[in-house]
Amino acid sequence: MKKHNFNAGPSILPREVIEDTAKAILDFNGSGLSLMEISHRAKDFQPVVDEAVALFKELLNIPEGYSVLFLGGGASLEFCMVPFNFLEKKAAYLNTGVWAKKAMKEAKAFGEVVEVASSAESTYTYIPKDYTVPADADYFHITTNNTIYGTELKEDLDVNVPMIADMSSDIFSRPIDVSKYICIYGGAQKNLAPSGVTFVIVKNDALGKVSRYIPTMLNYQTHIDSGSMFNTPPVVPIYAALQTLRWIKAQGGVKEMERRATEKADMLYAEIDRNKMFVGTAAQEDRSRMNICFVMAPEYKELEADFMKFATERGMVGIKGHRSVGGFRASCYNAMPKESVQALIDCMQEFEKLH
Amino acid sequence: MKKHNFNAGPSILPREVIEDTAKAILDFNGSGLSLMEISHRAKDFQPVVDEAVALFKELLNIPEGYSVLFLGGGASLEFCMVPFNFLEKKAAYLNTGVWAKKAMKEAKAFGEVVEVASSAESTYTYIPKDYTVPADADYFHITTNNTIYGTELKEDLDVNVPMIADMSSDIFSRPIDVSKYICIYGGAQKNLAPSGVTFVIVKNDALGKVSRYIPTMLNYQTHIDSGSMFNTPPVVPIYAALQTLRWIKAQGGVKEMERRATEKADMLYAEIDRNKMFVGTAAQEDRSRMNICFVMAPEYKELEADFMKFATERGMVGIKGHRSVGGFRASCYNAMPKESVQALIDCMQEFEKLH
């Protein structure tokens, strides 16, 4: 049976990327060696990193003066690397969910942290809009997509201080005005690669302004100076990331990714709004295109387990909502085909007919 | 032509591990999904982590009261995590090479660091033996194998304070008395897995004794409490690590790995000592079984490039010495077959006949 992979992360990757990576694991570039056993300093691997960096810059239209890094450790490690590198006195954070809160928590050990707004009181079902960012903040940190609650900042904000964004779950799903940010980071395991590599886009001249000692591995300058090769980088995930970047370019780039994301999300939200058995959980204007969250309507609440079983039997994978909010979550990252979204809609319609 | 992979890291892995990982990347456990796109919280992945932890404990005979962690970031990140977690006042380090020095450098930001001994004056060709470890040190840090210089501590030391060891390049190549250590860590990319995962063996009750704030991701307790699942772990490298651990067990465990390592190293060192064209660089008693370093004898110095070409044409890969020491380095990790070592010896003998 065909599986439709709605996993929230690690999550669906283009089939070409999967097949190409499996091939390289058996034999990398006709070298007679596996991708898993080549040196990261091998002549054949440097071009992989170089092309991945170049495609990052090209696809996201990154201006001069920025570096692109591929690091280990995950976005959670960035939660402390960001204040280590950028927080001298005061930082502002927008609290849009658990990940934003975790980022904020780490920053508190480094300086004054201002939570400019929060939607915690409504279990993060919306993105706060009316707030003031202190003009003397070193940066304003946002989480552009909130996987657990299905909310998304679908446009770059206009604020009076440089922004830092966790874009783990919506990178490459829309064009970004990178010049508004001094740092954009994310775990790769949603829209880019298998887990194990973190991308960081950093504005070079925003570094070097804090007075504290930064441990070598936590200092972005270390990794800029060595082209992400200060220590052994995660070779297999970086290779897979390159294949995904090539795929994005071949499909038409981030504008086409955005068109597809909007099309898929519109299809599924339309069904959620039409179908009497289901209710969307996020505020209409903040609905995420990446993670579409919904629950059973109150009068069908007791059928939640039934629908889960019904959908699973029809090949849907990973549609269980996060344990902290319940219900359902269909993650529709870049590699998710329209056909899989339609298959889920068909499930919802068939289930409605049965009841 | 058959390639003989003497890469220093990332490096040779058992062919079964490579093939099994490639297969899982196409279809994990018959799930219809790739290993690269399954959730780390999937029912099928937890047993991978659990079995890898259990095999670590079984193969290394790890006593009760220790945790085994799989983290991202690389051993270089451990260089600061170790003092973050264990250095309250004073730490002692044995300086046996670049990696030991890097570990020591990070510790200096956290407290007093005593370099008990160093072989820097001889480009680290031996392991210092006569030194005193301060009895009031929080720990004594060693690097058990020095990949660049080809020296190895082949037995656990007897010292009067708890030890911490970077075993990146010789883990699973001999039995260890884990009870002498409060922490053993290493990048996986030599004897265990592709790059992207770091193993940490940590004594639970040695934690919680420092008074500083430790960022969440840098706190070993975080990862113990969440079974290495605080954030998304590097799924593919962990899966490959499990396959290697199974392979080690099937071959006869670490005692058999040690027997093979000794056999391979004895073969190659015997040829280096016999062949008039080559000279070993490490002190006899400290010669590494993992990284066998040698140079051309002074009277054949100008033939270095010729031998490199000669060997490369015969399928030898990765035998160039580290750029900081020159010459040759044959890394013979667990997965290296005796046949490849013999192929290199054949090269050396043929080359000798030609000159």
Side-chain angles (χ1 to χ4, degrees):
Chain A
M1 184 178 55
K2 159 98 180 128
K3 292 293 173 71
H4 303 283
N5 184 356
F6 291 97
N7 273 328
S11 43
I12 190 166
L13 289 169
R15 194 64 205 172
E16 298 92 313
V17 172
I18 290 164
E19 285 173 2
D20 198 83
T21 305
K23 214 176 123 204
I25 283 184
L26 290 173
D27 183 9
F28 173 65
N29 263 5
S31 65
L33 300 180
S34 165
L35 177 64
M36 305 204 309
E37 51 177 14
I38 57 160
S39 169
H40 58 298
R41 307 225 181 256
K43 250 191 313 219
D44 278 9
F45 187 66
Q46 188 61 53
V48 169
V49 176
D50 293 344
E51 188 185 342
V53 169
L55 279 174
F56 241 88
K57 290 186 173 177
E58 180 187 335
L59 289 167
L60 294 176
N61 199 19
I62 299 176
E64 287 292 306
Y66 283 79
S67 298
V68 174
L69 308 173
F70 297 108
L71 309 178
S76 294
L77 185 62
E78 305 306 312
F79 296 164
C80 77
M81 284 178 76
V82 160
F84 250 126
N85 283 271
F86 297 112
L87 175 48
E88 180 68 7
K89 286 201 174 141
K90 187 192 284 190
Y93 279 71
L94 183 61
N95 182 3
T96 54
V98 159
W99 301 107
K101 220 172 133 183
K102 285 188 178 187
M104 199 158 52
K105 173 176 177 274
E106 296 310 305
K108 284 177 182 164
F110 297 86
E112 185 188 345
V113 170
V114 179
E115 180 185 88
V116 299
S118 165
S119 50
E121 89 290 347
S122 81
T123 324
Y124 300 113
T125 52
Y126 68 96
I127 305 234
K129 312 231 164 30
D130 294 319
Y131 51 80
T132 309
V133 177
D136 60 346
D138 297 319
Y139 61 82
F140 176 46
H141 182 282
I142 56 173
T143 312
T144 51
N145 184 69
N146 301 282
T147 45
I148 297 177
Y149 320 95
T151 63
E152 187 182 6
L153 273 162
K154 292 183 282 278
E155 281 174 19
D156 302 307
L157 296 172
D158 280 309
V159 290
N160 48 345
V161 301
M163 284 195 289
I164 295 181
D166 174 356
M167 294 197 184
S168 291
S169 52
D170 62 350
I171 192 77
F172 293 112
S173 74
R174 67 170 174 93
I176 313 165
D177 181 356
V178 174
S179 71
K180 290 183 167 183
Y181 302 84
I182 52 172
C183 180
I184 297 172
Y185 65 88
Q189 64 272 15
K190 319 281 187 182
N191 271 314
L192 191 59
S195 61
V197 62
T198 309
F199 65 86
V200 182
I201 303 167
V202 60
K203 192 174 186 188
N204 300 332
D205 68 11
L207 292 169
K209 295 184 176 171
V210 293
S211 47
R212 73 178 59 82
Y213 170 77
I214 309 173
T216 308
M217 277 289 285
L218 303 177
N219 192 332
Y220 290 127
Q221 196 62 53
T222 301
H223 302 289
I224 292 174
D225 293 345
S226 58
S228 298
M229 295 276 196
F230 175 75
N231 68 328
T232 312
V235 168
V236 174
I238 291 176
Y239 178 87
L242 170 60
Q243 308 314 313
T244 304
L245 292 165
R246 285 179 177 171
W247 178 87
I248 294 171
K249 185 175 175 179
Q251 302 297 306
V254 288
K255 278 198 181 155
E256 172 63 12
M257 292 298 117
E258 184 175 43
R259 190 197 66 72
R260 293 185 192 181
T262 305
E263 183 183 29
K264 287 178 285 182
D266 286 351
M267 281 167 62
L268 188 47
Y269 282 122
E271 176 60 19
I272 291 167
D273 292 342
R274 187 207 61 74
N275 192 314
K276 65 179 189 297
M277 302 188 74
F278 301 99
V279 183
T281 50
Q284 284 270 355
E285 69 277 18
D286 298 324
R287 282 175 160 183
S288 169
R289 294 179 293 217
M290 298 290 104
N291 312 95
I292 297 173
C293 295
F294 55 103
V295 294
M296 302 306 294
E299 58 271 38
Y300 298 102
K301 189 75 194 147
E302 76 286 357
L303 294 175
E304 185 172 309
D306 287 2
F307 179 69
M308 184 62 76
K309 184 162 174 281
F310 186 86
T312 303
E313 284 168 1
R314 280 152 187 80
M316 308 301 131
V317 174
I319 62 162
K320 197 172 166 60
H322 189 271
R323 58 192 183 280
S324 63
V325 295
F328 307 100
R329 169 173 55 176
S331 297
C332 300
Y333 300 118
N334 286 337
M336 168 64 65
K338 205 165 98 175
E339 293 65 35
S340 288
V341 177
Q342 188 57 54
L344 175 58
I345 292 171
D346 291 347
C347 271
M348 294 164 77
Q349 294 181 345
E350 284 174 47
F351 193 71
E352 187 188 29
K353 273 181 212 147
L354 284 177
H355 296 280
Chain B
M1 181 179 58
K2 159 97 181 128
K3 292 294 174 69
H4 303 282
N5 186 358
F6 290 97
N7 274 327
S11 43
I12 190 167
L13 289 170
R15 193 65 205 172
E16 298 91 312
V17 172
I18 290 165
E19 285 173 4
D20 198 82
T21 305
K23 214 175 125 207
I25 282 184
L26 291 173
D27 183 9
F28 173 65
N29 262 7
S31 64
L33 300 180
S34 164
L35 178 64
M36 306 205 309
E37 51 177 13
I38 57 158
S39 170
H40 58 298
R41 308 229 181 253
K43 250 191 313 222
D44 278 9
F45 187 66
Q46 188 62 53
V48 170
V49 176
D50 293 344
E51 188 184 342
V53 168
L55 279 173
F56 241 87
K57 291 185 174 177
E58 179 186 337
L59 289 167
L60 294 177
N61 199 18
I62 299 176
E64 287 292 307
Y66 284 78
S67 298
V68 174
L69 307 172
F70 298 108
L71 308 178
S76 295
L77 186 62
E78 304 307 312
F79 295 164
C80 77
M81 285 178 76
V82 160
F84 250 125
N85 283 272
F86 297 112
L87 175 47
E88 180 69 6
K89 288 201 173 143
K90 186 192 283 191
Y93 279 72
L94 182 61
N95 182 4
T96 54
V98 159
W99 300 107
K101 220 172 136 184
K102 285 187 179 189
M104 199 159 50
K105 173 174 176 278
E106 296 309 305
K108 284 178 182 165
F110 296 85
E112 186 189 344
V113 171
V114 179
E115 181 186 270
V116 298
S118 165
S119 49
E121 90 291 346
S122 82
T123 325
Y124 301 113
T125 51
Y126 69 96
I127 306 238
K129 311 233 165 26
D130 293 319
Y131 51 80
T132 309
V133 178
D136 60 346
D138 296 319
Y139 59 83
F140 176 46
H141 182 282
I142 56 172
T143 311
T144 49
N145 184 69
N146 300 283
T147 46
I148 296 177
Y149 320 94
T151 63
E152 188 181 6
L153 273 161
K154 292 183 282 279
E155 281 175 20
D156 303 306
L157 296 172
D158 279 309
V159 291
N160 47 346
V161 300
M163 284 196 287
I164 294 183
D166 174 358
M167 294 197 183
S168 291
S169 51
D170 62 350
I171 191 79
F172 294 113
S173 73
R174 66 170 174 92
I176 313 165
D177 181 355
V178 175
S179 70
K180 290 183 168 183
Y181 302 85
I182 53 172
C183 180
I184 297 172
Y185 65 88
Q189 64 270 12
K190 319 281 188 186
N191 270 317
L192 192 59
S195 61
V197 63
T198 309
F199 66 85
V200 183
I201 303 167
V202 60
K203 191 174 187 191
N204 300 331
D205 68 10
L207 291 170
K209 296 187 176 170
V210 294
S211 48
R212 72 177 61 81
Y213 170 77
I214 308 173
T216 309
M217 278 288 286
L218 303 177
N219 193 332
Y220 290 127
Q221 196 62 53
T222 301
H223 302 290
I224 292 173
D225 292 345
S226 58
S228 297
M229 294 276 196
F230 175 74
N231 68 329
T232 312
V235 168
V236 174
I238 291 176
Y239 178 87
L242 170 60
Q243 307 316 312
T244 304
L245 292 164
R246 285 178 177 171
W247 178 86
I248 294 171
K249 184 174 175 178
Q251 302 298 308
V254 290
K255 277 199 181 155
E256 172 63 12
M257 293 298 118
E258 184 175 43
R259 189 197 65 73
R260 293 185 192 181
T262 305
E263 182 182 29
K264 289 179 284 182
D266 285 351
M267 280 166 63
L268 188 47
Y269 282 122
E271 175 60 20
I272 291 168
D273 292 342
R274 184 208 63 74
N275 193 313
K276 66 180 187 298
M277 302 188 75
F278 301 98
V279 183
T281 51
Q284 284 270 356
E285 69 277 19
D286 298 325
R287 283 175 161 183
S288 169
R289 294 179 291 217
M290 298 289 106
N291 311 95
I292 297 173
C293 296
F294 54 103
V295 294
M296 302 304 298
E299 58 273 39
Y300 298 101
K301 188 76 195 148
E302 77 286 357
L303 293 176
E304 184 172 309
D306 287 2
F307 179 68
M308 184 61 75
K309 186 164 173 283
F310 185 85
T312 303
E313 284 168 359
R314 280 151 187 80
M316 307 301 131
V317 174
I319 61 162
K320 198 174 166 58
H322 189 271
R323 58 193 182 282
S324 65
V325 294
F328 307 100
R329 169 174 54 177
S331 296
C332 299
Y333 299 118
N334 286 339
M336 169 65 65
K338 203 166 101 174
E339 292 66 34
S340 288
V341 176
Q342 188 56 53
L344 175 58
I345 292 170
D346 291 347
C347 270
M348 294 164 77
Q349 294 181 345
E350 283 173 46
F351 193 73
E352 187 189 28
K353 273 180 211 148
L354 284 176
H355 296 279

